[in-house]
Amino acid sequence: MKLWELAARSWFPVSRGGARLLETLQADPAEALRQLGASSLIGVAAVVINGLGGYFVAVAASRYVFPRMVGKTASLGECLRFAWGRAGTVLGFFGLMIVWTLGVTVLLILPGAGLAALALVGESAPLKVVLLVLGALLALAGAVVALLWFILRFMLASQVLALEEVGVRT
């Protein structure tokens, strides 16, 4: 994340916001969008790499902790080698997790976004405000449900990948 911060400061100064962003948006909107887009791509890549690394470490840690909890021995090197051997499965699972989560989130936010979009075709100002507020609240509720779904669905996945010989479709 620090590398992303340094890259944003050096190569994409507009992405840091503030007066500089507003000035660039007014003077050269294409440059502002280019910098914001590039900075966003680097940020998404950093989050994905961080998340994937976190799942890899969680598999290794689970492989180390659970046997020790029941009185068996486990070495850290053996657990890291096991996790490295499961890297393909972890990568496949992580990809499926991202795709499923994005799909579920979009489906749960879509009704609220649709209700807010109805405000664009509304005639009266009070109706537009009501539709926007209700749409935003419904979209927020959908996002909360999507977050809860994500937690319940994927909370124990690293432990399952560490302790059972299963494939990606767990």
Side-chain angles (χ1 to χ4, degrees):
M1 296 312 266
K2 286 293 183 186
L3 288 175
W4 177 53
E5 181 72 24
L6 288 172
R9 186 176 299 151
S10 301
W11 299 321
F12 315 115
V14 170
S15 67
R16 303 203 19 101
R20 190 169 197 175
L21 173 62
L22 293 176
E23 291 169 4
T24 307
L25 278 172
Q26 291 174 351
D28 189 4
E31 175 63 19
L33 289 176
R34 185 194 65 77
Q35 285 191 30
L36 290 173
S39 177
S40 297
L41 285 176
I42 291 173
V44 167
V47 168
V48 167
I49 290 169
N50 190 19
L52 188 58
Y55 258 91
F56 177 79
V57 169
V59 169
S62 297
R63 187 70 175 196
Y64 181 78
V65 169
F66 280 102
R68 293 183 61 96
M69 288 175 59
V70 294
K72 296 181 182 176
T73 61
S75 74
L76 186 57
E78 173 189 318
C79 296
L80 287 171
R81 281 189 296 279
F82 174 84
W84 183 251
R86 302 278 298 188
T89 304
V90 171
L91 181 63
F93 170 76
F94 189 77
L96 282 175
M97 178 187 70
I98 296 295
V99 169
W100 270 104
T101 302
L102 284 174
V104 166
T105 303
V106 166
L107 286 176
L108 290 172
I109 289 177
L110 206 53
L115 191 59
L118 284 176
L120 297 174
V121 297
E123 297 279 332
S124 75
L127 179 64
K128 287 182 177 186
V129 171
V130 169
L131 287 174
L132 280 174
V133 169
L134 289 177
L137 290 175
L138 188 58
L140 179 63
V144 168
V145 170
L147 176 65
L148 292 174
W149 175 86
F150 173 81
I151 290 170
L152 292 173
R153 175 66 181 101
F154 298 114
M155 177 74 75
L156 299 176
S158 61
Q159 289 84 5
V160 171
L161 290 173
L163 300 175
E164 297 181 13
E165 295 296 324
V166 294
V168 173
R169 297 177 297 176
T170 57

